[in-house]
Amino acid sequence: MSASLVLRRRLAGELRALRLKTGMSQEEVAAHLEVSSNKIVRIENAQSSVSISDLRQLLALFRVDAQTAEQLLDLGRNARKRGGWWSSYRDLLPGPYIQMEAEATLVRNYEPSKVPGLLQTADYARAVVLASIPAVPPEEVERRVAVRMKRQERLTTDKPLTLHALLDEAVLYRQAGGPKIMRCQLERLIEAAKLPNVSLRVLPYTAGLYPAAGNPFVILSFADSVDPDVVLCENRVGERYFHDADEVAGFHADFRQMTKVSLDEAASVTLIKKTITEMSV
């Protein structure tokens, strides 16, 4: 079974709610357990897993009834399990995104300048890696490409991931790896758009300026309503995640507004085909 960051987040939320119900501060909890307050902060932010012994102490401190305690202990045990296909790529993927994407049921992805990783061809992905990480060793390039190809398998499983992709029109013209690779990539977008679980829409230049223009982001949603949505914003200096409900709601509002001013799915495919034709002239 995979290491479940989603389950860790769920447990963290439960423990935070229990602490707040008691009226205790993080510092007071830390003092009772004789640990640093930073440890409690990291547990409640799902930045680190909680040991079963620490979890028992926390549940006792919060005076949780036996039935609830057993449920949370079970959740804690499952959250600590290791594994997952991404384990062999931990050196390349230190952040939590891949684990969360692997457990998400819906991904909303806005990209202003390049094709989303879930829809990239291997050659396009290779060109993106080489452009993003100068002087990267060839073997690392291939491992990074392999990760993106592995992620895409979720689009065609028995219970596929649902993807809503919004691409700025610039994505269709910004070549990666040359005309031949770009043509194959655009053809790949057309094929992906045929999948019932993929919605692909283009924000045309005629849409003008729109919310979040130029700032890519991903919204991850999960099957269980107790697992809140997460937003990832990524740039050169690293990844930034948003968990606060009000902040996440803002990204949802931007995505809805951008969807309204985008071309519909059929018109988006027509534009992609037109771009391919123009490349062939």
Side-chain angles (χ1 to χ4, degrees):
M1 185 173 177
S2 66
S4 178
L5 182 59
V6 172
L7 294 183
R8 192 197 304 169
R9 290 177 64 234
R10 189 182 303 173
L11 179 60
E14 294 283 358
L15 292 175
R16 183 168 54 252
L18 288 170
R19 176 182 60 78
L20 292 174
K21 187 176 180 180
T22 67
M24 299 178 70
S25 68
Q26 291 175 326
E27 291 75 14
E28 288 172 328
V29 172
H32 277 281
L33 267 64
E34 298 183 341
V35 299
S36 69
S37 58
N38 183 57
K39 180 174 182 176
I40 304 302
V41 170
R42 291 182 62 81
I43 288 173
E44 290 193 2
N45 289 336
Q47 293 174 313
S48 63
S49 58
V50 55
S51 69
I52 298 303
S53 61
D54 284 346
L55 181 54
R56 289 185 186 279
Q57 291 185 65
L58 286 168
L59 297 177
L61 178 63
F62 299 149
R63 298 186 178 182
V64 177
D65 64 83
Q67 182 178 356
T68 302
E70 191 52 44
Q71 291 173 346
L72 292 178
L73 285 168
D74 211 30
L75 178 59
R77 294 184 190 100
N78 287 328
R80 291 180 59 81
K81 290 182 178 179
R82 300 293 177 180
W85 64 263
W86 56 83
S87 297
S88 57
Y89 298 99
R90 289 188 187 279
D91 57 321
L92 299 181
L93 308 168
Y97 180 79
I98 295 298
Q99 293 183 50
M100 288 195 291
E101 183 187 82
E103 298 181 44
T105 55
L106 169 61
V107 170
R108 297 175 179 87
N109 193 177
Y110 161 63
E111 287 289 348
S113 60
K114 63 178 181 290
V115 173
L118 285 170
L119 298 177
Q120 293 176 5
T121 65
D123 286 335
Y124 184 98
R126 192 172 290 108
V128 170
V129 171
L130 289 170
S132 304
I133 313 174
V136 61
E139 60 274 13
E140 181 176 328
V141 173
E142 296 311 311
R143 291 181 69 213
R144 289 183 179 274
V145 172
V147 168
R148 297 189 191 189
M149 298 304 103
K150 184 68 176 177
R151 289 167 56 200
Q152 294 177 15
E153 293 179 7
R154 287 214 57 213
L155 294 176
T156 53
T157 59
D158 292 338
K159 294 181 179 180
L161 172 70
T162 298
L163 172 65
H164 292 176
L166 285 178
L167 312 183
D168 192 281
E169 186 174 351
V171 172
L172 309 183
Y173 297 99
R174 190 179 301 281
Q175 291 194 9
K180 182 178 179 180
I181 289 175
M182 195 63 198
R183 179 187 177 94
C184 290
Q185 176 60 74
L186 295 179
E187 291 172 346
R188 160 65 176 148
L189 291 180
I190 294 171
E191 289 303 309
K194 296 177 183 178
L195 294 172
N197 53 304
V198 174
S199 171
L200 177 63
R201 302 176 68 137
V202 176
L203 286 149
Y205 292 138
T206 53
L209 293 176
Y210 50 82
N215 300 297
F217 64 88
V218 181
I219 305 174
L220 298 168
S221 299
F222 306 91
D224 200 317
S225 60
V226 302
D227 299 319
D229 291 356
V230 181
V231 175
L232 164 68
C233 294
E234 188 176 17
N235 55 38
R236 187 173 182 82
V237 298
E239 302 174 340
R240 184 179 181 189
Y241 292 88
F242 295 88
H243 305 270
D244 178 80
D246 290 337
E247 293 176 332
V248 171
F251 285 98
H252 274 292
D254 286 349
F255 199 89
R256 286 194 298 271
Q257 182 58 34
M258 288 190 290
T259 300
K260 288 181 181 178
V261 299
S262 68
L263 300 175
D264 64 28
E265 294 173 10
S268 296
V269 169
T270 298
L271 178 58
I272 295 171
K273 291 179 177 178
K274 177 175 178 289
T275 306
I276 293 174
T277 301
E278 292 172 350
M279 290 177 62
S280 303
V281 174

